[in-house]
Amino acid sequence: QVRPVESGGGSVQHGGSLRLSCAVSGYTINRWCLGWFRQAPGKEREGVATIDRYGNPAYADSVKGRFTISRDNAKSTLYLEMNSLNPGDTAMYYCAVEDDPPRPCSWYLVDGKLEVWGQGTLVTVSS
């Protein structure tokens, strides 16, 4: 059973940086659509970024220019480099994955309907 495991969350000050990782051990992820999503307290879950099998990224407008999604297929790991963090980025961050999904990977940024989800890692940004 696929079990994505997120790590790298923590507490940082406004303007700080964090790097999240999502490991999918034991699986070859070359064809997979991979994504990061977040949910802040009292808010709906929202897409942050996705990356398709070719390495093409898609970002939410709120994180463009600050966050970078990347993947290392050899390590079966997804990353999210987050810079210039602000309190509005405080949320639980989840990684979601799907093997060769039927729709373009970037479409899942909007509806988040990827098959398998991790447990999340908490990011807290203080002012």
Side-chain angles (χ1 to χ4, degrees):
Q1 187 174 1
V2 179
R3 289 185 179 181
V5 178
E6 302 95 335
S7 62
S11 297
V12 295
Q13 290 192 328
H14 190 163
S17 299
L18 281 174
R19 188 194 197 202
L20 305 184
S21 299
C22 172
V24 192
S25 300
Y27 290 86
T28 300
I29 66 169
N30 298 45
R31 304 183 313 171
W32 294 24
C33 170
L34 310 173
W36 287 102
F37 299 80
R38 67 186 182 185
Q39 187 166 19
K43 293 188 177 181
E44 297 281 320
R45 187 183 65 197
E46 62 175 351
V48 175
T50 59
I51 185 166
D52 68 11
R53 61 195 291 180
Y54 305 110
N56 298 312
Y59 296 98
D61 287 344
S62 60
V63 306
K64 280 181 182 176
R66 300 189 298 123
F67 291 11
T68 302
I69 189 171
S70 61
R71 60 193 293 162
D72 186 333
N73 291 338
K75 295 182 179 179
S76 297
T77 302
L78 171 70
Y79 301 100
L80 185 69
E81 187 75 37
M82 305 186 295
N83 298 312
S84 301
L85 285 162
N86 60 63
D89 297 314
T90 294
M92 187 71 80
Y93 284 71
Y94 299 91
C95 122
V97 304
E98 185 165 333
D99 182 6
D100 196 19
R103 300 183 293 159
C105 188
S106 60
W107 290 20
Y108 295 95
L109 185 65
V110 176
D111 64 20
K113 293 184 178 179
L114 291 170
E115 280 187 342
V116 184
W117 290 72
Q119 294 297 306
T121 186
L122 182 62
V123 172
T124 303
V125 185
S126 58
S127 56

